[in-house]
């Protein structure tokens, strides 16, 4: 099974790209499901079909779903949350407030990951397309297994220990304090095991690909650079950049001349920003993209004779790894490059590499902003730059 996740800045056309990709896969004979993990669902509008929280078959080989986070939360977290709400309420906390503060951090986003695991385990589909939320929400979603582990280890372990003590006391005094049975805690363990499993799935480049959708606008590209850097930091494989809404050459109206020129400059900048990643291009259509007819045209333009389900790039254009507290190493593959034909320029949040006439612009994660370059050297055709504390 192949998993393809489309993400990018809000408004760049992720939903149309996801719907067109899913339709293309289905028409190539691949059993395909496309799911929306954006709370502001618009997948049904793009497909011009009524869909909901359960999969709906829309077309031969094509299913669609708009994930209902609340339903998934109730399913995986409800029993334990009811106990914790009761616990807070007895301490004088308003029921509504108690319900909000007992939601596991990030669980609303994490509900989407649980569906991914379900479809992988059931092996019903050949391709799963994810129409993801805008970049900030997607990064929170993908980092969820790391972020919530602390919460679970500290808070839930303490609460579970209290439950073991209180349950027999309550039975003696015949009190019902809504303490969860042991299998409720097993359910929480299963939840975390599932999140870890999905993390492993999405970091396996042979199974999953992240595809970044951009418009040819400098601000959009810069934000997408940051997303790409953080995806590398978490170990997720990006295999393509999709540039959407490019003004086609046949548009000759002088009104668009400056806009077209800016777009071409920005498309060149995409090459600097993302290195060897394949760039797929989609034009700005003369009509709204919605419904199978226009989605089919979009898919044809993007993929031509290619299958969207194939892995489009193997490896990473750069990696960042921790070497301990306040020390990091950034590695950029540069085969055939010579040291005497290279320059490095550093600003606080960016690094620019020049090799001959070509430039590569890399946005640095926040953890590196206040660190200095300790050294830079080639290791097996790869430029490795070490960052360390100035003190």
């Amino acid at each position: 099974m192949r998993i393809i996740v489309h993400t990018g800045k809000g408004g760049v056309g992720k939903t149309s790209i996801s719907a067109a990709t899913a339709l293309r896969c289905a028409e190539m004979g691949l059993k395909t499901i496309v799911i929306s993990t954006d709370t502001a669902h618009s997948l049904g509008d793009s497909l011009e079909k009524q869909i909901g929280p359960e999969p709906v078959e829309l077309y031969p080989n094509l299913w669609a779903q708009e994930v209902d986070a609340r339903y998934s939360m109730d399913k995986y977290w409800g029993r334990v949350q009811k106990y914790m709400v009761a616990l807070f309420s007895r301490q004088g906390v308003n029921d509504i407030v108690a319900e909000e503060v007992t939601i596991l951090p990030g669980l609303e986003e994490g509900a989407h990951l649980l569906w991914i695991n379900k479809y992988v385990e059931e092996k019903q589909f050949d391709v799963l397309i994810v129409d993801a939320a805008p970049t900030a929400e997607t990064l929170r979603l993908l980092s969820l297994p790391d972020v919530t582990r602390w919460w679970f280890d500290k808070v839930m372990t303490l609460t579970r220990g209290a439950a073991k003590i209180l349950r027999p006391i309550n039975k003696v005094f015949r009190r019902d304090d809504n303490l969860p049975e042991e299998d409720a805690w097993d359910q929480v363990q299963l939840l975390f095991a599932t999140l870890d499993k999905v993390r492993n799935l999405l970091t396996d480049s042979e199974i999953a690909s992240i595809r970044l959708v951009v418009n040819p606008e400098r601000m959009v590209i810069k934000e997408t650079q940051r997303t790409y850097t953080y995806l590398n930091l978490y170990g997720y494989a990006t295999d393509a950049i999709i540039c959407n809404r490019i003004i086609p050459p046949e548009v000759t109206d002088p009104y668009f001349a400056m806009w077209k020129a800016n777009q071409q400059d920005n498309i060149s900048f995409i090459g600097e920003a993302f290195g060897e990643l394949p760039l797929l291009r989609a034009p700005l259509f003369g009509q709204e993209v919605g419904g199978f007819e226009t989605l089919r045209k979009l898919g044809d333009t993007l993929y031509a004779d290619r299958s969207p389900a194939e892995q489009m790039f193997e490896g990473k254009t750069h990696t960042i790894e921790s070497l301990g507290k306040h020390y990091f190493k950034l590695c950029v593959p540069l085969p055939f490059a010579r040291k005497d034909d290279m320059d490095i320029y550093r600003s606080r949040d960016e690094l620019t590499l020049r090799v001959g006439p070509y430039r590569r612009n890399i946005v640095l994660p926040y953890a590196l902003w206040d660190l200095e370059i300790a050294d830079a050297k080639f290791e097996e055709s790869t430029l490795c730059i070490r960052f360390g504390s100035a003190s």
Side-chain angles (χ1 to χ4, degrees):
M1 182 177 182
R2 284 288 294 163
I3 303 170
I4 301 170
V5 180
H6 293 117
T7 188
K9 187 175 173 63
V12 296
K14 299 182 301 294
T15 300
S16 298
I17 297 292
S18 297
T21 302
L23 179 60
R24 176 78 171 184
C25 289
E27 292 189 330
M28 295 185 75
L30 299 171
K31 195 172 181 182
T32 304
I33 183 167
V34 54
I35 68 173
S36 170
T37 66
D38 193 343
T39 52
H41 294 303
S42 57
L43 182 60
D45 297 329
S46 181
L47 293 162
E48 294 186 352
K49 299 286 185 179
Q50 187 69 37
I51 60 178
E54 292 289 337
V56 177
E57 186 174 7
L58 306 178
Y59 188 76
N61 290 323
L62 179 61
W63 282 255
Q65 176 185 12
E66 292 178 336
V67 174
D68 185 331
R70 178 61 61 176
Y71 169 80
S72 300
M73 285 176 60
D74 289 343
K75 178 179 179 180
Y76 287 95
W77 189 244
R79 293 179 61 192
V80 175
Q81 189 190 17
K82 286 177 183 177
Y83 158 67
M84 297 186 73
V85 168
L87 188 66
F88 277 105
S89 297
R90 286 198 301 275
Q91 305 302 319
V93 178
N94 182 280
D95 285 356
I96 296 176
V97 175
E99 182 174 350
E100 291 300 317
V101 299
T102 55
I103 293 176
L104 182 66
L107 186 59
E108 290 199 32
E109 295 96 337
H112 310 314
L113 294 178
L114 303 175
W115 285 100
I116 294 174
N117 180 69
K118 169 182 165 65
Y119 293 133
V120 170
E121 287 197 338
E122 292 179 352
K123 300 180 180 178
Q124 293 182 3
F125 301 100
D126 300 312
V127 184
L128 166 62
I129 309 291
V130 181
D131 171 27
T135 46
E137 293 178 48
T138 298
L139 286 171
R140 284 199 301 271
L141 172 65
L142 296 177
S143 63
L144 180 66
D146 296 325
V147 174
T148 54
R149 180 59 61 187
W150 180 92
W151 198 97
F152 178 74
D153 288 343
K154 303 299 183 185
V155 179
M156 293 307 300
T157 302
L158 179 64
T159 309
R160 186 179 185 183
K164 283 184 176 180
I165 297 171
L166 292 174
R167 188 178 292 109
I169 295 175
N170 287 349
K171 288 181 178 178
V172 170
F173 290 97
R174 299 181 178 180
R175 292 171 53 190
D176 180 14
D177 278 344
N178 295 320
L179 290 175
E181 296 301 326
E182 198 65 23
D183 65 340
W185 300 108
D186 293 339
Q187 191 177 45
V188 178
Q189 289 278 19
L190 178 61
L191 168 64
F192 275 89
T194 302
L195 292 175
D196 286 337
K197 182 178 179 181
V198 176
R199 164 71 183 267
N200 292 334
L201 286 170
L202 293 178
T203 53
D204 185 343
S205 61
E206 294 186 3
I207 297 173
S209 297
I210 310 291
R211 293 181 184 166
L212 300 173
V213 183
V214 300
N215 295 149
E217 301 171 14
R218 188 61 62 108
M219 184 174 66
V220 174
I221 297 168
K222 296 291 281 187
E223 177 175 321
T224 308
Q225 275 185 275
R226 282 186 283 272
T227 301
Y228 179 58
T229 294
Y230 283 107
L231 288 171
N232 279 337
L233 196 59
Y234 285 113
Y236 295 100
T238 302
D239 77 343
I241 305 295
I242 299 176
C243 189
N244 193 25
R245 299 175 183 153
I246 302 171
I247 300 174
E250 57 267 26
V251 176
T252 58
D253 190 318
Y255 178 82
F256 293 98
M258 182 61 72
W259 193 6
K260 286 177 66 177
N262 288 339
Q263 283 197 348
Q264 291 307 309
D265 287 343
N266 291 333
I267 291 171
S268 297
F269 179 65
I270 291 173
E272 296 178 10
F274 298 100
E276 298 177 354
L277 279 178
L279 175 61
L280 309 181
R281 307 180 187 217
L284 177 66
F285 285 86
Q287 64 187 102
E288 186 175 353
V289 177
F292 283 5
E293 183 178 347
T294 53
L295 290 173
R296 189 175 290 112
K297 290 179 181 178
L298 176 56
D300 289 344
T301 304
L302 276 175
Y303 304 108
D305 296 329
R306 201 173 191 178
S307 169
E310 71 180 59
Q311 184 179 355
M312 298 189 177
F313 180 80
E314 190 172 352
K316 297 178 181 178
T317 61
H318 68 268
T319 60
I320 300 173
E321 60 180 282
S322 173
L323 301 177
K325 189 175 182 181
H326 305 311
Y327 290 92
F328 292 86
K329 180 167 72 171
L330 167 67
C331 293
V332 186
L334 293 173
F336 311 115
R338 302 197 320 269
K339 289 199 298 185
D340 59 357
D341 197 24
M342 178 184 302
D343 289 311
I344 301 175
Y345 306 94
R346 164 78 190 277
S347 64
R348 188 172 185 232
D349 64 340
E350 288 186 353
L351 192 73
T352 301
L353 304 178
R354 185 195 59 79
V355 181
Y358 302 102
R359 289 192 309 168
R360 174 77 194 286
N361 183 273
I362 299 172
V363 171
L364 300 175
Y366 179 76
L368 274 63
W369 284 10
D370 294 324
L371 301 183
E372 294 184 353
I373 294 179
D375 64 67
K377 60 184 179 180
F378 273 102
E379 298 175 0
E380 299 180 353
S381 300
T382 299
L383 175 65
C384 294
I385 304 171
R386 290 174 176 81
F387 295 81
S389 175
S391 56

